[in-house]
Amino acid sequence: MPDVSVWRAMAGLDDRTVIERVAFEEGRPGRSRRSPGYDGGRRREWRSVDCGLTQMWLAADAPRVRCAEHGVTVARVPWARHGAGHTLVFDAQVAWLAVRTSKSTVRELLRIAWKTVGSVIDRVWADISAEIDLLDGVRKIGIDEVSYKKNHRYLTIVVDHDTGRVIWAAPGLGAATLSTFFDELGPERTAALTHVSADAAHWIASTVTQRAPQAILCADPFHIVAWATDAIDTVRRQEWRALKALADTERAEQDRRVGRPTADDPKPETPRQDLAREFKNARYSLLKNPDNLTQDQSLTLKWITASSPRLHEAYAFKEKLRIVFQARGKQGKRILDAWIKEAGRSTLEPIQKLCKSVVRIRASIEASLEHGLSQGLIESTNTKIRLFTRMAFGFHTPQALIALVMLNLGGPTLTLPGRT
């Protein structure tokens, strides 16, 4: 057979491993039966990287020993993690592929189970996280939740604004979940936090205020403007429903005047029906920024200005609120103050409701204007996490997804076995 050093290099083993025999067998080698008694030893097998088109397995006696710290346990081997059925180099190969392609591709390429991919990246990240401290030196963080599965399954994530890395993630959302982050951060490092960005979720604001009262809480401009677009859409639907009700009444009166029409008779639309359709189709013209409107959408916006004072008023409030965040600093605060006074006098109920929401978190909005902190980085991170979930076609456990997120976005550099 080839030199032992060749087989050792092919299997990714070091000099501590002695190769006694190399055998080629058709199919997967059978497992030996367990020997009686914990100290009788057991023949175990570990999947290694493939040798060309052929699977490579390592088989060795791994006796059980009595450890002063862990009690009776299997003796450690240098080529695999404790309790794993794959070698270190095989795990490294799976992890490298998993952060670059889908789990289904990894499963087919390496001939392993879909669930196994998640288990491998989980233990690879466990080893890496034991060697690095992502929470060290954190000053500015962003907090958000991201949906990863239907039926309201969420991850809570924390991102470091200075490094752009995901530094913490956990399944679930709410004050209890976020509190575990501050527990892991510890009192000393929590006291070092200077800024926290978040959306307007009450559970984030209350937890940050309680656990890190010295940190400046900054509201995300995008979410605030999104409230305004929701208010516009509410007014638009109100206008559409009112016109549709009048159009239905008008059509009914028209039918009574001309008698019951036959099935083949055309039903010409009334002016109000046509107007109601225009309001229904005007949604994107109202929600998009003026600079991004198409020519037709710009014409629709001009038509709304002339035909619906209520909807035009709601649109004007949204645009003025956008200007607040474009101005920033002291000028932004002055514009915000004028906006609140004007919105408070509005007769539109959705705008009044929006004004109350803005006043409720005014301090965090002004902090965002002053310090320029937003959730843009965190929203980008959430988009990547959703992409990982789609590529993998789901995860058996949230811990496997978290491990993949941290391997991709937590900062460690993975290399293929044998590369430097």
Side-chain angles (χ1 to χ4, degrees), residues 102-114 117:
S102 70
K103 284 176 61 178
S104 298
T105 302
V106 180
R107 175 189 62 79
E108 186 173 356
L109 177 65
L110 299 183
R111 293 174 283 190
I112 56 178
W114 179 84
V117 181

Side-chain angles (χ1 to χ4, degrees), residues 306-355:
S307 59
S308 178
R310 295 179 75 252
L311 192 52
H312 175 67
E313 179 185 347
Y315 177 80
F317 276 113
K318 186 264 285 189
E319 287 304 303
K320 290 176 183 177
L321 191 58
R322 268 201 331 118
I323 294 174
V324 169
F325 295 104
Q326 289 176 347
R328 296 185 176 182
K330 294 181 179 179
Q331 184 182 2
K333 293 179 182 179
R334 287 194 296 269
I335 299 174
L336 176 63
D337 185 58
W339 184 94
I340 291 174
K341 291 178 181 178
E342 187 178 358
R345 295 192 296 266
S346 174
T347 58
L348 299 176
E349 183 181 351
I351 297 300
Q352 292 177 354
K353 183 179 178 181
L354 170 64
C355 181

Side-chain angles (χ1 to χ4, degrees), residues 1-311:
M1 73 175 187
D3 188 85
V4 170
S5 61
V6 175
W7 288 107
R8 187 182 290 118
M10 292 173 64
L13 304 174
D14 57 26
D15 294 337
R16 295 174 294 174
T17 306
V18 177
I19 299 178
E20 297 178 345
R21 184 172 65 93
V22 177
F24 179 80
E25 301 180 14
E26 293 290 341
R28 180 176 172 177
R31 293 182 179 274
S32 304
R33 288 184 293 179
R34 184 189 300 269
S35 300
Y38 70 80
D39 57 348
R42 179 188 176 189
R43 195 72 172 173
R44 296 176 182 268
E45 297 163 358
W46 296 264
R47 171 80 184 278
S48 187
V49 292
D50 291 350
C51 181
L53 302 179
T54 305
Q55 291 186 11
M56 183 184 296
W57 292 77
L58 302 183
D61 290 331
R64 299 189 181 187
V65 296
R66 185 185 297 277
C67 174
E69 181 180 354
H70 302 98
V72 177
T73 184
V74 177
R76 181 182 179 275
V77 294
W79 57 79
R81 293 178 174 86
H82 187 76
H86 309 88
T87 64
L88 292 170
V89 290
F90 187 86
D91 282 356
Q93 186 180 52
V94 171
W96 188 89
L97 287 169
V99 300
R100 289 165 174 80
T101 185
S102 70
K103 284 176 61 178
S104 298
T105 302
V106 180
R107 175 189 62 79
E108 186 173 356
L109 177 65
L110 299 183
R111 293 174 283 190
I112 56 178
W114 179 84
K115 183 179 177 181
T116 302
V117 181
S119 300
V120 170
I121 60 179
D122 197 8
R123 60 176 176 256
V124 168
W125 170 246
D127 275 7
I128 293 176
S129 62
E131 299 295 328
I132 61 176
D133 186 3
L134 293 177
L135 302 181
D136 186 45
V138 173
R139 296 294 181 269
K140 300 177 181 178
I141 62 173
I143 304 171
D144 203 0
E145 76 280 354
V146 56
S147 173
Y148 72 94
K149 199 174 184 180
K150 61 182 181 181
N151 298 325
H152 304 288
R153 303 293 181 87
Y154 291 92
L155 295 181
T156 298
I157 66 167
V158 180
V159 177
D160 186 348
H161 277 287
D162 292 326
T163 63
R165 298 176 179 177
V166 178
I167 58 173
W168 187 86
L173 78 164
T177 301
L178 185 55
S179 292
T180 60
F181 163 72
F182 288 105
D183 292 339
E184 294 182 26
L185 191 62
E188 184 176 344
R189 292 188 292 193
T190 298
L193 291 177
T194 59
H195 298 78
V196 177
S197 71
D199 57 21
H202 176 70
W203 60 273
I204 296 180
S206 60
T207 305
V208 171
T209 301
Q210 180 183 3
R211 302 297 299 267
Q214 82 290 341
I216 299 172
L217 185 61
C218 301
D220 180 44
F222 175 81
H223 285 84
I224 309 306
V225 175
W227 289 353
T229 59
D230 289 342
I232 293 175
D233 210 35
T234 300
V235 176
R236 181 191 62 83
R237 289 195 301 267
Q238 290 173 351
E239 294 284 276
W240 171 73
R241 291 191 186 106
L243 280 172
K244 187 175 184 299
L246 290 173
D248 291 343
T249 302
E250 191 177 67
R251 167 57 67 84
E253 292 177 353
Q254 185 184 65
D255 290 344
R256 282 196 296 270
R257 288 195 298 268
V258 301
R260 184 184 296 275
T262 65
D264 297 332
D265 288 340
K267 297 181 179 180
E269 291 189 343
T270 65
R272 283 196 175 89
Q273 282 181 313
D274 185 61
L275 193 61
R277 181 181 296 104
E278 291 294 333
F279 273 101
K280 186 176 182 179
N281 297 333
R283 183 171 186 266
Y284 292 106
S285 300
L286 293 164
L287 302 186
K288 290 175 67 174
N289 295 338
D291 297 338
N292 299 329
L293 293 175
T294 64
Q295 184 176 1
D296 289 342
Q297 289 170 341
S298 297
L299 293 174
T300 300
L301 196 58
K302 291 179 180 179
W303 171 80
I304 289 172
T305 303
S307 59
S308 178
R310 295 179 75 252
L311 192 52

